[in-house]
Amino acid sequence: QVQVVESGGGLVQAGGSLRLSCAASGRTFSRYAMGWFRQAPGKEREFVAVISWSDGTTSYTDSVKGRFTISRDNGKNTVYLQMNSLKPEDTAIYYCAADSNFWGMTRGLAAYWGQGTQVTVSS
């Protein structure tokens, strides 16, 4: 079992940057794909990015490609989401998640979820 806790959210102006962190517990962290999702007010939760456990393969939703970068440090049981060139439409609660199925996460499926961290981008 994996438990995940997000941090690093906050308020930033459009064009700015934030880095989210997700600390995971559990000795098998390195065996799980890790991903980020977000939910904006009045909208459904959506997939943002995922990174594999084995070779660092990544996948992103189209709206963040070229602006967001997901990475992981298996030694620290931590996954990061570097967000650059932020836009007001990136405002949402960002959730970290873990699952053994990389491609399932791109469809919004994950076994373990964090509580979320708020990201607000002002115009």
Side-chain angles (χ1 to χ4, degrees):
Q1 188 166 350
V2 176
Q3 294 182 330
V4 295
V5 178
E6 307 93 337
S7 63
L11 173 65
V12 64
Q13 289 187 332
S17 298
L18 279 176
R19 188 177 80 157
L20 305 182
S21 298
C22 173
S25 63
R27 292 182 293 177
T28 58
F29 168 79
S30 62
R31 295 288 184 174
Y32 286 85
M34 299 294 297
W36 290 94
F37 299 77
R38 65 186 180 186
Q39 187 168 19
K43 295 186 177 181
E44 293 186 353
R45 186 166 58 193
E46 66 171 347
F47 163 75
V48 175
V50 62
I51 186 167
S52 73
W53 67 268
S54 56
D55 60 3
T57 299
T58 59
S59 180
Y60 299 89
T61 191
D62 286 346
S63 63
V64 308
K65 286 180 180 177
R67 300 188 299 122
F68 291 11
T69 302
I70 188 171
S71 61
R72 66 189 294 164
D73 185 335
N74 286 344
K76 295 182 178 180
N77 282 11
T78 302
V79 63
Y80 306 97
L81 186 67
Q82 178 66 43
M83 305 185 294
N84 299 328
S85 302
L86 282 161
K87 305 174 181 180
E89 51 263 43
D90 293 318
T91 295
I93 299 174
Y94 282 71
Y95 297 90
C96 179
D99 197 275
S100 59
N101 189 324
F102 177 91
W103 293 111
M105 294 187 76
T106 67
R107 299 190 298 271
L109 304 174
Y112 306 105
W113 294 87
Q115 294 298 307
T117 185
Q118 177 71 47
V119 172
T120 303
V121 185
S122 63
S123 57

